[in-house]
Amino acid sequence: MIEPTSKVWMDGKLVDWGDARIHLLTHALHYGTGVFEGIRCYATERGPAIFRLREHVRRLMRSAHLYHMEVPYSEEELVDACRALVRVNDLSACYLRPLAIRGYGEMGLNPVLAPVEVSVLTWVWGAFLGEEALESGVRAKISSWKRNDHNMLPPGAKATGQYINSGLAKMEALKAGYDEAIMLNTTGHVTDGSGENVFVVRDGELATPPISAGCLDGITRDSVMRLARDLGYAVTERDLTRFDLYTADEAFFTGTAAEVTPLREVDDRALASDGRGPVTKEIQQAFFDAAHGRIERYRGWLTPVGG
Ligand SMILES: Cc1ncc(COP(=O)(O)O)c(C=O)c1O
């Protein structure tokens, strides 16, 4: 259960958490017509700082653009809204959820008739797949559900409606006793987890599916590619099959929520590392160091919430 924080930003106003309500006739509730982001704010020695905030806000705007949603705020206004909300809620570390939805006003399948309503929520969210998972890794199942593709619901946009596809995969994996799902595309190549990108490590090299395969253009994925290259690893974006997952030396998920979470098993096949492998550990450490502001060269990824 999410613990309430004090305020929610709703269309330019800070309202009490308990008053952050919408009408049942909200268009997005019926037709999935919303776009959203997931962002983390980390405690750093210079105070709370939001990780790659501008990139997240830009992606929100791109998602909105795809769905013909005119967001009535500039990127800078949304950046300020996120910072102000963390400040007013007095949080040192948290998750942020900007959300733009087709709101109350019209029904039917033409979304443009319903107004765009924008909000930002924050709450304290620990390790998405569990603290222990960060060390011991998770067990994943290749889903029988295919990922929505570029000509169905473009996977590059984070639209609320498309996440029922991820939900199907996640429920299937959990009911079968696994921790997470990995979805393939319609040509059988790996895309991503229900809410994470995937990397494999083999012979000291990293590989991750290209965006064209149908994964989200993950911001943690991008950060990890940069960190890995800076650490001297070769990183390629190439189509991966399930065989690549089963036979990897190491594999890990990346995502705002999941951060860098090792994979221990895929479809009951233990990976060679049988838990968090050495390359995953090094990259995970570098990621947390960067996110907590402990590495000078990545300070630009952090937006302080200010005082
Ligand atoms: C389907 C999917 N893949 C990957 C990711 C990871 O993206 P990011 O690192 O930008 O959070 C997410 C989370 O937003 C996601 O929902």
Side-chain angles (χ1 to χ4, degrees):
M1 179 90 171
I2 303 284
E3 274 292 315
T5 51
S6 169
K7 299 283 183 192
V8 173
W9 189 94
M10 283 183 93
D11 284 309
K13 295 192 187 71
L14 290 169
V15 303
D16 287 342
W17 178 279
D19 294 331
R21 297 201 176 89
I22 53 168
H23 198 275
L24 276 178
L25 213 64
T26 293
H27 196 275
L29 280 179
H30 299 252
Y31 305 115
T33 47
V35 296
F36 69 101
E37 271 305 315
I39 314 176
R40 270 193 196 270
C41 173
Y42 288 93
T44 78
E45 64 180 22
R46 299 182 192 173
I50 306 176
F51 189 71
R52 304 200 69 177
L53 174 58
R54 286 189 168 75
E55 288 88 338
H56 280 283
V57 169
R58 211 166 300 137
R59 189 170 66 186
L60 181 79
M61 293 303 208
R62 281 203 302 271
S63 300
H65 177 71
L66 173 73
Y67 289 101
H68 296 296
M69 294 175 89
E70 299 234 345
V71 175
Y73 302 97
S74 66
E75 289 184 19
E76 217 40 52
E77 284 171 319
L78 293 178
V79 162
D80 288 344
C82 290
R83 296 175 64 220
L85 189 65
V86 176
R87 275 201 310 270
V88 76
N89 284 331
D90 199 18
L91 298 162
S92 54
C94 63
Y95 184 84
L96 290 99
R97 169 56 55 83
L99 176 69
I101 54 171
R102 287 285 175 187
Y104 172 85
E106 267 304 334
M107 278 283 112
L109 285 175
N110 180 7
V112 302
L113 300 174
V116 175
E117 296 169 4
V118 184
S119 30
V120 186
L121 296 107
T122 54
W123 64 87
V124 176
W125 218 9
F128 181 58
L129 294 165
E131 256 331 302
E132 206 203 311
L134 292 175
E135 265 187 46
S136 325
V138 293
R139 299 175 59 243
K141 174 181 175 18
I142 307 269
S143 184
S144 69
W145 298 100
K146 300 286 176 274
R147 178 86 147 97
N148 47 276
D149 83 8
H150 296 286
N151 294 307
M152 296 173 188
L153 291 168
K158 280 181 74 75
T160 57
Q162 77 188 39
Y163 276 83
I164 56 176
N165 174 239
S166 307
L168 282 172
K170 181 86 184 184
M171 287 188 289
E172 180 186 69
L174 293 179
K175 279 181 180 291
Y178 299 85
D179 306 303
E180 185 53 289
I182 295 174
M183 281 189 281
L184 305 180
N185 60 22
T186 49
T187 60
H189 293 107
V190 175
T191 62
D192 42 15
S194 69
E196 313 88 359
N197 291 105
V198 189
F199 284 77
V200 295
V201 183
R202 189 202 285 263
D203 298 330
E205 295 190 358
L206 277 74
T208 193
I211 304 306
S212 56
C215 57
L216 182 72
D217 191 359
I219 291 166
T220 320
R221 171 185 183 275
D222 179 70
S223 310
V224 158
M225 288 199 292
R226 164 88 193 275
L227 289 165
R229 285 181 177 133
D230 288 353
L231 287 167
Y233 291 103
V235 184
T236 52
E237 291 174 75
R238 62 177 173 84
D239 276 328
L240 299 177
T241 63
R242 56 200 300 164
F243 180 75
D244 292 309
L245 293 173
Y246 298 158
T247 58
D249 295 337
E250 302 177 31
F252 57 88
F253 283 130
T254 64
T256 297
E259 299 169 310
V260 176
T261 299
L263 279 150
R264 190 169 83 236
E265 262 178 53
V266 180
D267 286 348
D268 303 310
R269 286 151 184 98
L271 303 191
S273 56
D274 203 17
R276 181 176 58 181
V279 178
T280 306
K281 188 173 177 188
E282 190 182 0
I283 288 169
Q284 190 188 51
Q285 188 58 52
F287 173 77
F288 282 124
D289 284 344
H292 286 93
R294 295 191 285 258
I295 311 179
E296 190 56 44
R297 74 197 294 193
Y298 308 116
R299 276 267 165 77
W301 286 348
L302 295 167
T303 302
V305 304

